[in-house]
Amino acid sequence: MLERQKQARSSRGLYLLGPAFVAAIAYVDPGNVASNVSAGAKYGFLLVWVIITANAMAGIVQYLSAKLGLVTGQSLPEAIGGRMSRPARLAFWLQAELVAIATDLAEVVGGAIALNLLFNLPLLLGGVITGIVSMVLLTVQDRRGQRSFEYVISGLLAIIAIGFLASVVVEPPPLAETVGGLIPRFQGTESLLLATAMLGATVMPHAVYLHSGLALDRHGRPEEGEPRRRLLRITRWDVSLAMVFAGAVNMAMLLVAATNLRGRDGVDTIEGAHAAVRDSLGPTVALLFAIGLLASGLASSSVGAYAGAMIMQGLLRRSVPIITRRLITLLPALAILAAGIDPTWALVMSQVVLSFGIPFALIPLIRLTSDRQLMGTDVNHRITALLGWIIAALISALNVVLIVLTLAN
């Protein structure tokens, strides 16, 4: 009898996993592909340490976001908006909306590139298709509930993993050089720019806002005491597993570029990288690469739109029809494609823009989860709060240094 109860609790615990895997889509979106492939192709294994560091930071941040939602019964945008005057809320929403636009730019452009690689479709048409499919995926969440949406997104996450991990399995990277990349260092302004882009592609503002709402929508606000403590333990496992999964995919992106693309001409674009992978590892691996990129664009675009709706509702205190919400961030991405701007450059720069939005999400999150009056017994431990402030300070400092070095050159 006792054994059956343990098995039931274990099964129930597994059922409660999922919200972190939806948020994790933000960490394997096309912006990651562009940033990681560019970093590996140009600098080899130099920036391996950035992926490890960014993933560890992301794990801490995502757990704090989920904890805020479960303990307070509010999403992060709602909690922020509730402590601001109307003008301040509008200003905060504006910067968050710009971040959402940069997010969608990366995801729509990435999907368009994948459709071009797979079916030779024009980029603009591919962007339109990506936007439409992402809207269809959102209707799954709207009509079938969050659990069904989690199943769909987790399935796409598995496709993404297969698409990018296949390259590493076929041609494993040299161990000594990979380990050497764990030493933190840069090589000039451009490596710092790429590191910032990689950081922006990993610790993404919209995922920070989103996870609090995902956890709340899925689990509600549990009672204080053992029910909440148990759900927070499960959330830690959920976040840890999702971050390990996403980190492995990100690492695979960089390692395949460092192993197979370094020193080659024309690999500074995703299209060039795809061609080089095909030449080095064969058409099957190249096909998986393109399919992984497409799944990344479709899944991350729908998750990004979901986050945008949550941000708008929390800060503007109004619900917006899904089509309107989708068009707000989709149209700028389509304009970029129509203008003929280099899509890979646009992807990398979108990640830099995202990194500037991180402090606006992180600082309120850390302050709120460190507020004993708000969080009660689940307030951040002093060490957790210290780590949160260090993460926010490091990211902010990196952005300042980037501006100085860029202007100096």
Side-chain angles (χ1 to χ4, degrees):
M1 181 68 175
L2 181 61
E3 184 62 30
R4 285 199 300 271
Q5 289 176 343
K6 289 181 179 180
Q7 290 176 353
R9 285 197 297 269
S10 175
S11 176
R12 176 64 177 166
L14 291 174
Y15 176 78
L16 294 175
L17 298 178
F21 284 83
V22 175
I25 283 292
Y27 305 119
V28 291
D29 78 345
N32 291 83
V33 181
S35 300
N36 294 332
V37 168
S38 295
K42 189 168 183 63
Y43 293 102
F45 301 89
L46 177 73
L47 299 178
V48 165
W49 67 273
V50 175
I51 290 180
I52 300 294
T53 303
N55 212 62
M57 290 180 178
I60 295 172
V61 169
Q62 292 304 135
Y63 172 69
L64 293 182
S65 177
K67 183 172 78 167
L68 177 71
L70 293 173
V71 173
T72 67
Q74 292 181 307
S75 68
L76 178 57
E78 287 175 328
I80 293 172
R83 288 159 177 78
M84 286 182 169
S85 64
R86 189 172 186 276
R89 279 194 293 109
L90 292 177
F92 197 93
W93 167 77
L94 182 60
Q95 67 79 27
E97 194 64 40
L98 292 174
V99 166
I101 289 173
T103 300
D104 220 24
L105 170 62
E107 293 152 355
V108 171
V109 170
I113 293 174
L115 288 169
N116 176 262
L117 294 175
L118 288 168
F119 306 111
N120 201 30
L121 295 179
L123 290 176
L124 181 57
L125 177 58
V128 172
I129 292 174
T130 301
I132 292 173
V133 173
S134 67
M135 193 178 300
V136 172
L137 292 177
L138 282 172
T139 61
V140 172
Q141 190 277 334
D142 187 49
R143 297 184 180 182
R144 301 292 300 274
Q146 185 170 323
R147 189 60 178 165
S148 296
F149 185 64
E150 287 174 9
Y151 284 139
V152 173
I153 296 300
S154 296
L156 289 171
L157 185 59
I159 294 173
I160 295 167
I162 293 170
F164 292 110
L165 289 172
S167 303
V168 176
V169 173
V170 171
E171 186 67 34
L175 181 60
E177 291 189 65
T178 302
V179 173
L182 297 174
I183 301 173
R185 61 198 190 279
F186 296 106
Q187 287 182 5
T189 304
E190 189 173 352
S191 68
L192 181 58
L193 176 66
L194 281 172
T196 305
M198 292 164 69
L199 189 63
T202 304
V203 187
M204 296 187 75
H206 80 282
V208 179
Y209 295 121
L210 175 66
H211 203 163
S212 56
L214 286 172
L216 181 61
D217 289 347
R218 175 71 184 283
H219 304 302
R221 187 182 183 184
E223 296 180 10
E224 188 174 3
E226 179 55 29
R228 183 183 295 172
R229 287 195 296 272
R230 179 170 177 270
L231 193 51
L232 289 174
R233 286 196 300 270
I234 292 171
T235 298
R236 284 193 289 271
W237 275 105
D238 193 25
V239 171
S240 298
L241 292 172
M243 290 300 101
V244 168
F245 199 86
V249 175
N250 274 317
M251 187 64 74
M253 295 175 191
L254 187 143
L255 294 180
V256 69
T259 304
N260 301 287
L261 308 184
R262 191 177 184 186
R264 288 174 173 263
D265 294 328
V267 295
D268 53 345
T269 66
I270 291 180
E271 298 93 332
H274 174 264
V277 167
R278 183 185 59 226
D279 294 341
S280 302
L281 304 177
T284 301
V285 174
L287 176 63
L288 292 174
F289 180 98
I291 291 173
L293 178 63
L294 178 60
S296 171
L298 297 177
S300 57
S301 185
S302 61
V303 171
Y306 187 178
M310 185 176 296
I311 291 168
M312 182 174 285
Q313 184 170 355
L315 292 171
L316 297 186
R317 299 176 180 174
R318 63 178 63 182
S319 297
V320 177
I322 187 172
I323 295 179
T324 304
R325 172 64 250 175
R326 195 70 197 88
L327 290 176
I328 288 173
T329 52
L330 178 61
L331 290 178
L334 296 181
I336 292 289
L337 293 174
I341 296 173
D342 176 61
T344 300
W345 180 87
L347 280 173
V348 173
M349 292 309 299
S350 73
Q351 304 311 296
V352 176
V353 172
L354 288 177
S355 73
F356 285 94
I358 294 172
F360 291 98
L362 283 189
I363 292 174
L365 174 65
I366 299 164
R367 289 189 62 183
L368 290 168
T369 53
S370 300
D371 183 344
R372 183 171 294 277
Q373 185 175 356
L374 178 67
M375 301 293 290
T377 57
D378 295 302
V379 68
N380 288 340
H381 189 280
R382 282 178 294 180
I383 294 176
T384 304
L386 178 61
L387 286 173
W389 287 118
I390 290 173
I391 291 170
L394 283 174
I395 293 172
S396 300
L398 184 60
N399 289 333
V400 171
V401 172
L402 175 64
I403 293 172
V404 172
L405 291 179
T406 301
L407 294 177
N409 287 274

